[in-house]
Amino acid sequence: MATPPNARRPDPVTMEVVELIGDVVARFYEDYEEAAGEHALTGAQARLLSLLSLEPLPMRKLALKLKCEPSNVTGIVDRLEVRGLVERRPDPADRRVKLAAATEEGRRVARELREGLRFAREPLAGLTDEERVALRGLLRRMLGGDLRPGGGGERG
């Protein structure tokens, strides 16, 4: 009787890739927390602000994206609203729903956060344009995008 594919032990290369991905994630979060701290933000506040700098979102969707309870999101939005970085507004599609949206100042801070991430600049700068495009495609495939080689569509 054959062993089911998901019950087989991963090969050594897969295990090393998994460890390297973990190291990348840890370095990214460490750098992100440091960049957030430079703006007197927590990591969670910075992540929420970054999401809202892209588009206004309802609290429930923010909670799903941040993988936390809606009550936590409410507290984070409250603190960012006091600082003038976020505002609440009615959803034009459903006035019963409130959207959280980054203010102009919030978008500026989010942009500075992105630009301040050394981890995004330094190691990726050591790759060629072709290597960065290939890495982007592989990461998109891993995250469930187009599974064809070179697929995944074009996103910024």
Side-chain angles (χ1 to χ4, degrees):
M1 187 155 135
T3 304
N6 59 355
R8 282 190 226 132
R9 296 181 134 263
D11 63 273
V13 172
T14 298
M15 291 304 298
E16 184 178 0
V17 168
V18 168
E19 287 180 28
L20 289 168
I21 289 171
D23 292 346
V24 166
V25 168
R27 278 188 64 189
F28 175 80
Y29 275 111
E30 182 180 299
D31 196 28
Y32 205 87
E33 293 287 333
E34 188 176 313
E38 290 172 8
H39 293 277
L41 297 169
T42 65
Q45 289 171 335
R47 285 187 290 282
L48 186 140
L49 186 59
S50 291
L51 284 171
L52 293 180
S53 73
L54 302 174
E55 63 177 328
L57 292 167
M59 302 293 219
R60 186 172 307 282
K61 190 174 258 187
L62 276 170
L64 287 171
K65 286 182 175 278
L66 293 172
K67 296 176 178 35
C68 68
E69 292 297 317
S71 60
N72 291 347
V73 169
T74 299
I76 296 169
V77 169
D78 287 346
R79 288 185 285 285
L80 292 174
E81 193 172 34
V82 166
R83 291 189 53 189
L85 301 175
V86 167
E87 64 186 9
R88 288 178 170 92
R89 57 173 84 141
D91 184 340
D94 183 349
R95 308 227 8 115
R96 297 169 296 177
V97 175
K98 288 282 188 196
L99 297 177
T103 62
E104 187 59 41
E105 176 68 4
R107 286 188 294 278
R108 183 190 65 74
V109 169
R111 187 172 47 255
E112 287 179 7
L113 273 166
R114 280 190 300 276
E115 292 168 357
L117 293 174
R118 286 183 311 282
F119 180 68
R121 277 196 317 267
E122 294 166 4
L124 289 175
L127 301 177
T128 66
D129 289 344
E130 294 80 18
E131 288 170 330
R132 286 193 305 276
V133 168
L135 178 60
R136 179 185 66 185
L138 292 169
L139 291 170
R140 285 179 177 170
R141 283 177 58 199
M142 285 180 65
L143 293 172
D146 189 337
L147 297 178
R148 292 173 293 136
E154 285 301 313
R155 281 186 264 169

